[in-house]
Amino acid sequence: MSAYTETDLVTTIGQLAGADLSDLTQAQLDGIDQFHGGGAEAVDRLIPSLDLSAGMTLLDVGSGLGGPARQIARTTGCDVLGVDLTEAYVEAATALTSVARLGARVQFLHSDIARLQRSGFDAALSMHVQMNVDDKSAFFGEIAKRLRRGACLAVFEVCRASEDALPLPLPWSIDGTDSFLAAPSDLLGVIEDSGFTALEWVDETPWVLQWFDDLGSRLAAAETEASLPALLADGPTRMINFAVALADGTFTVHRGAFRLAD
Ligand SMILES: C[S@@+](CC[C@H](N)C(=O)[O-])C[C@H]1O[C@@H](n2cnc3c(N)ncnc32)[C@H](O)[C@@H]1O
């Protein structure tokens, strides 16, 4: 059973917000379109390792609603292509990008990374995606094939630190069938074996936990009913289960910075 079943997200966001999308503030949008623990702060922590500047190209693999892609384009001036398996997310990402007037530099494609025809990107990003991917070696191999030599890769990924039963439902899996969590050292090994040299591999769980602790007050301060937990089927339960599993040591969130061989 897929975890990503939502449809017509733009209409839902508008109904929840009771406002036109263009009236939402950046803080309100950050609570809607960043589909990972750590929100916009996580993206800020990844940006330096991507080594991007205006005119360079970024591939965002599993781009979701496009919050990270737009944030990086705004911050660095680069061009971004996001690819995602879920058509409704690609439609929402494209609409939100048009409202943000970033459509000339940020585009989204409904595709599995394995079918993407473009290559030669200067950098790649993947946030909270590989836990849906069984064959991680093929996944990171497909990313490597689409980058130029010496390109940067940044990941922000959920790992499994214990073999305890999964606390379902989770943001990326309703019934466990599409969850393929790896131990941090195993995930690092797969990425390195795909041709990438690790520059950083950091356990970011402590501050992500704090971010979850602050989520309620942040959503209250945003003064809108529109939020990621409200958009997702059973969203609040899925978020709480994720946060509890981070707190009790079942999961970690790891940030990785890598460079493809020259
Ligand atoms: C939890 S969401 C994260 C979205 C986004 N990276 C973010 O952090 O806001 C995971 C996304 O990965 C996408 N996905 C999973 N496997 C994929 C694959 N092989 N190729 C492209 N997208 C994939 C899903 O459709 C979903 O939108």
Side-chain angles (χ1 to χ4, degrees):
M1 177 186 190
S2 171
Y4 308 120
T5 54
E6 296 76 24
T7 55
D8 201 1
L9 283 158
V10 168
T11 301
T12 313
I13 294 168
Q15 284 168 347
L16 286 168
D20 201 76
L21 289 186
S22 56
D23 292 334
L24 295 174
T25 65
Q26 191 56 55
Q28 290 172 327
L29 288 166
D30 288 344
I32 296 168
D33 63 13
Q34 302 273 355
F35 198 161
H36 50 263
E41 182 177 347
V43 179
D44 279 337
R45 288 177 182 237
L46 293 172
I47 285 174
S49 62
L50 288 167
D51 207 10
L52 288 164
S53 54
M56 293 177 85
T57 53
L58 171 70
L59 173 63
D60 182 0
V61 183
S63 42
L65 307 185
R70 285 184 292 277
Q71 185 176 339
I72 294 171
R74 280 196 310 271
T75 307
T76 70
C78 76
D79 297 339
V80 188
L81 178 67
V83 292
D84 200 289
L85 276 180
T86 307
E87 191 166 16
Y89 293 178
V90 171
E91 286 169 6
T94 302
L96 289 166
T97 301
S98 168
V99 170
R101 299 180 186 277
L102 283 169
R105 288 199 289 119
V106 183
Q107 271 117 36
F108 299 92
L109 202 58
H110 175 217
S111 175
D112 190 308
I113 178 64
R115 294 197 309 272
L116 177 65
Q117 300 291 327
R118 265 183 67 185
S119 60
F121 290 89
D122 294 307
L125 168 81
S126 198
M127 302 182 76
H128 284 39
V129 177
Q130 61 72 41
M131 64 266 185
N132 283 134
V133 177
D134 190 8
D135 189 343
K136 299 183 196 306
S137 179
F139 179 75
F140 286 102
E142 295 290 354
I143 294 176
K145 273 194 241 169
R146 285 159 182 84
L147 299 178
R148 66 159 168 82
R149 285 185 285 180
C152 298
L153 166 69
V155 304
F156 196 70
E157 288 301 333
V158 185
C159 297
R160 188 167 191 165
S162 94
E163 287 307 312
D164 289 356
L166 291 180
L168 298 167
L170 288 159
W172 62 91
S173 180
I174 303 293
D175 60 4
T177 52
D178 45 1
S179 183
F180 304 96
L181 291 170
S185 57
D186 290 344
L187 180 58
L188 173 62
V190 167
I191 300 173
E192 289 179 321
D193 289 347
S194 305
F196 294 97
T197 301
L199 307 176
E200 287 183 276
W201 184 247
V202 183
D203 185 351
E204 303 277 13
T205 311
W207 79 260
V208 174
L209 265 176
Q210 186 60 52
W211 180 90
F212 270 112
D213 278 353
D214 299 341
L215 182 57
S217 45
R218 231 179 6 256
L219 292 179
E223 293 183 340
T224 173
E225 295 298 313
S227 67
L228 184 66
L231 281 184
L232 301 179
D234 215 0
T237 308
R238 290 160 73 182
M239 295 290 178
I240 290 167
N241 286 345
F242 182 17
V244 170
L246 287 172
D248 71 15
T250 305
F251 298 159
T252 68
V253 175
H254 271 70
R255 177 177 62 82
F258 300 86
R259 196 173 279 277
L260 195 62
D262 279 319

